[in-house]
Amino acid sequence: GENVEQHPSTLSVQEGDSAVIKCTYSDSASNYFPWYKQELGKRPQLIIDIRSNVGEKKDQRIAVTLNKTAKHFSLHITETQPEDSAVYFCAALSWGKLQFGAGTQVVVTP
Amino acid sequence: NAGVTQTPKFQVLKTGQSMTLQCAQDMNHNSMYWYRQDPGMGLRLIYYSASEGTTDKGEVPNGYNVSRLNKREFSLRLESAAPSQTSVYFCAGTPSLSSYEQYFGPGTRLTVT
């Protein structure tokens, strides 16, 4: 089955700096890669996603890149703000099921 | 339009007790999912239902059963709870075959003593 690895597990950034989270996947048939943000005690919420026929997608301060050959994808957050502090999960869709990474705790310090 | 709802929000069980976690959606989702979330392990799929009337095992199905009662409702049952089932449980749904986005419910925090 699909295996998704996510790094780093924790990330501390100064407000205004950029944050990058990286994920790798194992199943070359995976074709959809969402990123979820989860605040403490809340449900995961989709923030951006990318399909396998696209290499990059941007939505305001967040962007996702996908390298199908290398089987890795990354989340980029620019101009970080305190409200970006949360746990971020990557996932890969394989055979109709999402396989999630273990998560990255992002802390934005003022 | 409440989206995906789950009951209860919190539950404490003793080892060996049984209970059913309820999930309902009003977004006309075809597919529905049950996940558990443990610290440092992300979300792991327990069971899913690709459409009304079908259910399939996910990554960690042991100790659980599910019922897709109708298109709106997908329940998760623990027949004999164990401390290893202490976790936060999330239900999710996907609107259609052409959409992959999963919408999550608010979660149920379960503690088994």
Side-chain angles (χ1 to χ4, degrees):
Chain A
E2 176 65 279
N3 182 49
V4 176
E5 295 191 358
Q6 182 172 347
H7 300 280
S9 56
T10 58
L11 181 60
S12 184
V13 295
Q14 286 284 116
E15 183 177 356
D17 287 350
S18 295
V20 180
I21 304 170
K22 298 182 179 182
C23 289
T24 61
Y25 62 99
S26 60
D27 186 353
S28 57
S30 291
N31 60 354
Y32 172 71
F33 307 90
W35 286 88
Y36 285 84
K37 175 183 180 182
Q38 187 178 29
E39 296 175 351
L40 190 63
K42 300 287 182 64
R43 73 190 80 188
Q45 293 203 300
L46 180 76
I47 56 171
I48 196 167
D49 55 13
I50 192 167
R51 298 203 180 197
S52 59
N53 58 348
V54 175
E56 184 173 357
K57 184 177 178 181
K58 190 173 181 181
D59 183 3
Q60 298 183 6
R61 293 188 299 107
I62 59 173
V64 57
T65 58
L66 171 64
N67 183 327
K68 282 192 65 179
T69 303
K71 288 191 278 193
H72 67 69
F73 56 112
S74 301
L75 178 71
H76 304 253
I77 307 173
T78 58
E79 301 172 21
T80 54
Q81 300 168 5
E83 53 263 38
D84 294 329
S85 295
V87 179
Y88 293 80
F89 293 97
C90 64
L93 185 74
S94 174
W95 294 96
K97 297 175 285 187
L98 282 179
Q99 183 70 39
F100 285 84
T104 298
Q105 174 79 58
V106 174
V107 178
V108 181
T109 53
Chain B
N1 187 340
V4 181
T5 59
Q6 292 182 235
T7 55
K9 286 188 167 55
F10 301 93
Q11 184 71 49
V12 179
L13 292 178
K14 294 187 187 306
T15 297
Q17 288 185 317
S18 62
M19 79 161 295
T20 300
L21 281 65
Q22 305 287 353
C23 174
Q25 50 88 8
D26 60 5
M27 301 174 75
N28 203 32
H29 292 167
N30 284 311
S31 301
M32 297 183 74
Y33 309 83
W34 275 106
Y35 294 91
R36 61 176 289 173
Q37 184 174 36
D38 302 294
M41 299 186 75
L43 292 134
R44 293 183 294 168
L45 183 65
I46 305 170
Y47 269 94
Y48 69 104
S49 170
S51 61
E52 186 180 353
T54 68
T55 61
D56 286 288
K57 294 179 181 179
E59 183 184 353
V60 288
N62 291 345
Y64 305 95
N65 283 300
V66 290
S67 295
R68 183 76 183 266
L69 305 169
N70 47 56
K71 191 168 186 179
R72 287 190 65 247
E73 298 171 289
F74 187 39
S75 61
L76 178 73
R77 183 158 178 84
L78 287 71
E79 289 292 350
S80 178
S84 60
Q85 294 178 305
T86 293
S87 188
V88 180
Y89 291 84
F90 287 100
C91 176
T94 299
S96 69
L97 293 176
S98 61
S99 171
Y100 298 140
E101 180 174 351
Q102 291 192 13
Y103 294 84
F104 284 83
T108 295
R109 184 172 294 276
L110 175 68
T111 301
V112 183
T113 61

